[in-house]
Amino acid sequence: MNMIPSAPQITLTSVSIPVADGQRLAGTLFEPQQSNGVSVQVNAATGVARRYYESFAAYLGSRGFTVLTFDYRGIGGSPRSPAAPPPRMLDWGRRDIPAAADFLASRLPGARRAMVCHSFGGQMLGLMPQAGEIGAVLAIASQHGYWRNWSRAHQLRLLLSWYVAFPLVVSLIDRIPGWWLGGQPLPGGVARDWRRWCCSPHYLVGDDGRPLRPHNHALRADMRLISFADDLDFGPKKGVDALVDFYPNAFIERLHVAPRDWGLQRIGHFGFFKRDMPAKHWAAQADWLLQAALARPQQDRPQRDRAVIRPLQPAR
């Protein structure tokens, strides 16, 4: 079992992150006593508050990383600010994630930059103007959310959800209750964006239905994209595989893990970040993240015409 490191090893600070449209985001900064020179931004899954990532962030802090977790607008400690427009999922990607990146860069201007992304958090990197400044990305169960990327057994349920249940519930109460997905309630604007994307073969699209990929080609990071064989409801292998095309110039390592490969009975969509994940698996990903982030300056990475896919053997 992993334990949150003791206070002398890291300092936790609550921070308020400004966004250009008047929104403020609640965040937590994990600062080590001795930095390894790498800053890590944790981009959360849909409807998941930053506290869920506390154990993993603290572990990274104990390894010398400076880590920022934060809540998207309308989630957890980031209620809608009076000056800001109603929350949208699109704004999580085009405003909140870039604002968190700017905040972290201002705190550690000389650090190499890395990201840990969970599910939705790994889909939005192409909306960041700073995409070309990221050196390493660890993406856990990040997927292309088009509903046909799921198994036939799941497609009927998703068809009913996206075309019947979601529109009906949002029209009645302007939100999706937290119990529906097992996380935080989703504001109506967030739910509408999410539904529209999951119904499009392009997934991430603008209000006009056209694909949104403004900075995807700028991402030339080393990227480790991990899926889990028992994550059938949220992050199926086909959906995670499909996300590769979002980042044509990234250097992508693709790992699909069965729980037994890691000596576990279950991992699912949320298990990797739980504090009972065996320490050796967190250590393996932290080792990779450090090596990838320090490998070479981002500006020295070659431009590519397509993603480099390096299949990995499961770590045991």
Side-chain angles (χ1 to χ4, degrees):
M1 175 182 294
N2 289 301
M3 301 299 293
I4 297 176
S6 59
Q9 292 181 281
I10 56 173
T11 300
L12 275 64
T13 306
S14 295
V15 297
S16 180
I17 303 167
V19 188
D21 64 353
Q23 179 67 46
R24 298 197 73 90
L25 308 176
T28 303
L29 193 64
F30 299 74
E31 297 177 283
Q33 279 190 335
Q34 184 171 354
S35 173
N36 63 15
V38 178
S39 66
V40 177
Q41 175 176 324
V42 179
N43 297 335
T46 299
V48 179
R50 73 187 191 281
R51 64 176 178 269
Y52 191 81
Y53 305 99
E54 181 181 72
S55 294
F56 185 64
Y59 172 77
L60 291 179
S62 74
R63 293 285 306 270
F65 297 90
T66 300
V67 185
L68 176 67
T69 62
F70 66 101
D71 290 329
Y72 303 127
R73 63 184 66 201
I75 300 296
S78 300
R80 176 187 175 186
S81 299
R88 294 185 59 179
M89 184 171 266
L90 180 58
D91 288 329
W92 290 1
R94 69 181 178 182
R95 300 185 190 278
D96 296 355
I97 290 175
D102 283 344
F103 177 87
L104 187 54
S106 71
R107 297 292 290 256
L108 286 94
R112 297 289 181 90
R113 302 173 69 172
M115 288 193 169
V116 171
C117 305
H118 185 204
S119 193
F120 165 86
Q123 303 164 1
M124 300 290 110
L125 305 182
L127 295 184
M128 295 177 53
Q130 314 96 320
E133 301 170 13
I134 306 303
V137 177
L138 174 65
I140 303 296
S142 292
Q143 72 290 69
H144 185 298
Y146 180 46
W147 67 277
R148 289 189 181 275
N149 286 328
W150 272 250
S151 69
R152 290 187 179 274
H154 285 77
Q155 285 182 15
L156 178 58
R157 177 176 60 82
L158 291 171
L159 191 66
L160 291 173
S161 293
W162 296 130
Y163 288 93
V164 180
F166 254 61
L168 178 61
V169 171
V170 173
S171 68
L172 291 174
I173 63 174
D174 197 36
R175 68 179 185 278
I176 292 297
W179 57 261
W180 192 324
L181 299 171
Q184 299 280 307
L186 298 183
V190 171
R192 291 184 188 95
D193 278 347
W194 194 23
R195 176 200 172 273
R196 183 162 50 84
W197 294 350
C198 290
C199 292
S200 169
H202 302 296
Y203 184 59
L204 183 54
V205 294
D207 293 337
D208 59 2
R210 296 180 181 180
L212 281 177
R213 310 286 190 271
H215 306 291
N216 291 61
H217 282 74
L219 185 73
R220 290 180 286 156
D222 287 325
M223 185 174 188
R224 178 170 280 189
L225 185 56
I226 302 178
S227 58
F228 300 105
D230 61 337
D231 184 9
L232 303 179
D233 292 335
F234 294 101
K237 182 178 183 297
K238 182 179 178 181
V240 178
D241 287 341
L243 190 68
V244 167
D245 290 338
F246 264 38
Y247 305 115
N249 290 317
F251 293 74
I252 298 177
E253 295 177 317
R254 182 70 180 89
L255 175 60
H256 186 64
V257 177
R260 65 177 178 275
D261 295 332
W262 283 8
L264 301 171
Q265 292 186 341
R266 175 163 177 76
I267 302 174
H269 197 61
F270 299 98
F272 176 81
F273 294 101
K274 291 182 177 179
R275 63 187 304 163
D276 60 357
M277 174 60 61
K280 64 180 180 179
H281 301 307
W282 281 5
Q285 303 316 316
D287 290 345
W288 177 85
L289 198 62
L290 180 62
Q291 181 179 5
L294 295 178
R296 53 182 164 169
Q298 184 63 16
Q299 61 268 23
D300 293 341
R301 294 169 186 266
Q303 188 78 13
R304 304 202 63 88
D305 294 326
R306 57 174 298 174
V308 174
I309 311 299
R310 305 188 186 106
L312 299 179
Q313 295 298 319
R316 296 185 182 275

